[in-house]
Amino acid sequence: MSFNPFMALLTQASLGLAGPTPAVLELGNQTLTANRAALELVVRRVREQGGEVGGLEAINALDETARRDRVAEFYRCLGARAYQAIDVNDTYGSLVMDLNQNLAEQYGFRETYQFVTNNGTGEHVFDQGAIYRNVHALTAPGGVMVHVMPFINYLNHGFYSYHPNLYYALAAANGYDLLALGVATRHGDGVIAAAGGFPEQGVLRHGCAVPLAWLVSDAKLPRRGWPRRWLDLALGRLPGATPAQRFGLTLDRLLVSGRKLLTFAVLRKDGDAPFQVPIQQRYEHAVAEELTRAGSQGAEHG
């Protein structure tokens, strides 16, 4: 999987939320494709925070081919004490397991980690329930989960594409703290809704904070052919615009520069309760009412 420029920025911003020396587990073996500009930005941000940058500078000094297998080293330079990946092959030393399976039941793998990522991996796995159940099980209580997944225009890249509202619902169903939710290009241009002290300014290369309501709305893309100055004016000054309209305008602007968009989420697992399947926000009240009605009818016939 591609550990791209945005993933490098997001990792630097979020790894510390998992503790001073977290153990890291990634779904999918990762190839470091972050370019020199992104790595230089990571070095600058670490230096500004008073961190040691010698190891990061050494990685950045390598050519693109030589640094492809340096993701584990990148994490260690940021403070991780241990690193492991799981995939269907052993590239870069990955553990070989089928992510369609329950890892505990199929392989007896019950290790937990403080920082678990699903970076461009879940879309290649047919059983989506297994992905999110495994991430939940692999994350220690108090640990951080990071998802960076294809959203728009990743055509035939994997089996699936993902929308921000999935992670909002996943957090609500499982009591996760939704630390950050956003949309970005692979180079780190995008928008973010952050909470709980998440360092939103340290994630994106270029972008801004937006209300969470935008990201979970039904985005209304503008009509084709609108002049760019109209879109910018509408985004910035249209007082009656709905969250869906504003989100649509924002996506349109990002697509001009990026052509493909990722959705990302940073979640904290507070407890150790069993995994709960989420219900999409727009239907949760209807489902709850139906279950209540069915329960009442069952009680009447009991």
Side-chain angles (χ1 to χ4, degrees):
M1 312 307 160
S2 178
F3 199 90
N4 60 33
F6 173 66
M7 186 59 183
L9 297 173
L10 181 61
T11 297
Q12 188 275 320
S14 57
L15 184 63
L17 298 173
T21 56
V24 175
L25 186 284
E26 300 206 273
L27 300 191
N29 49 53
Q30 300 289 315
T31 298
L32 186 59
T33 60
N35 57 22
R36 188 150 290 161
L39 293 174
E40 287 174 352
L41 184 52
V42 169
V43 168
R44 184 163 74 248
R45 289 175 174 175
V46 171
R47 182 183 290 116
E48 290 171 351
Q49 296 166 6
E52 170 59 45
V53 298
L56 292 169
E57 289 178 326
I59 294 173
N60 201 13
L62 300 172
D63 64 36
E64 291 183 2
T65 300
R67 63 175 176 250
R68 289 173 64 84
D69 63 349
R70 301 303 177 97
V71 170
E73 185 178 343
F74 179 82
Y75 272 101
R76 291 191 179 97
C77 289
L78 292 176
R81 72 173 185 275
Y83 176 88
Q84 187 62 68
I86 296 174
D87 211 323
V88 291
N89 57 66
D90 63 358
T91 302
Y92 309 141
S94 296
L95 299 176
V96 179
M97 301 182 198
D98 180 0
L99 292 171
N100 286 288
Q101 306 300 320
N102 181 303
L103 301 184
E105 294 178 0
Q106 184 71 18
Y107 303 101
F109 191 79
R110 294 180 172 84
E111 300 294 324
T112 58
Y113 300 78
Q114 289 74 48
F115 194 81
V116 177
T117 81
N118 171 29
N119 173 40
T121 297
E123 72 269 26
H124 304 293
V125 178
F126 179 78
D127 191 336
Q128 291 296 287
I131 285 289
Y132 294 100
R133 287 186 177 91
N134 282 325
V135 169
H136 181 89
L138 291 164
T139 306
V144 172
M145 299 166 274
V146 172
H147 299 273
V148 180
M149 306 298 285
F151 177 29
I152 295 178
N153 286 344
Y154 279 83
L155 304 179
N156 272 340
H157 171 79
F159 290 145
Y160 309 99
S161 293
Y162 302 78
H163 299 262
N165 79 90
L166 166 62
Y167 299 100
Y168 178 83
L170 190 69
N174 289 280
Y176 301 153
D177 292 332
L178 182 59
L179 301 179
L181 183 66
V183 173
T185 69
R186 71 182 306 275
H187 290 290
D189 301 328
V191 293
I192 183 173
F198 189 85
E200 61 190 36
Q201 300 302 322
V203 174
L204 301 170
R205 184 184 65 159
H206 299 117
C208 63
V210 299
L212 179 62
W214 289 24
L215 297 174
V216 296
S217 67
D218 294 342
K220 305 296 184 184
L221 293 171
R223 295 179 181 178
R224 298 183 64 182
W226 277 28
R228 176 61 37 197
R229 65 181 183 278
W230 289 12
L231 296 178
D232 291 341
L233 181 65
L235 181 62
R237 302 181 185 177
L238 192 61
T242 65
Q245 290 170 327
R246 292 187 184 278
F247 188 31
L249 291 166
T250 300
L251 292 177
D252 186 83
R253 286 210 306 192
L254 288 173
L255 285 166
V256 169
S257 62
R259 301 188 66 182
K260 294 181 178 181
L261 296 179
L262 301 159
T263 186
F264 66 92
V266 182
L267 311 167
R268 186 187 300 282
K269 178 184 174 183
D270 284 331
D272 201 23
F275 179 80
Q276 300 297 317
V277 175
I279 297 172
Q280 192 177 14
Q281 180 188 22
R282 66 169 64 188
Y283 299 118
E284 59 184 353
H285 296 302
V287 171
E289 291 173 0
E290 186 62 30
L291 290 174
T292 299
R293 186 181 303 112
S296 298
Q297 291 174 348
E300 292 174 1
H301 295 296

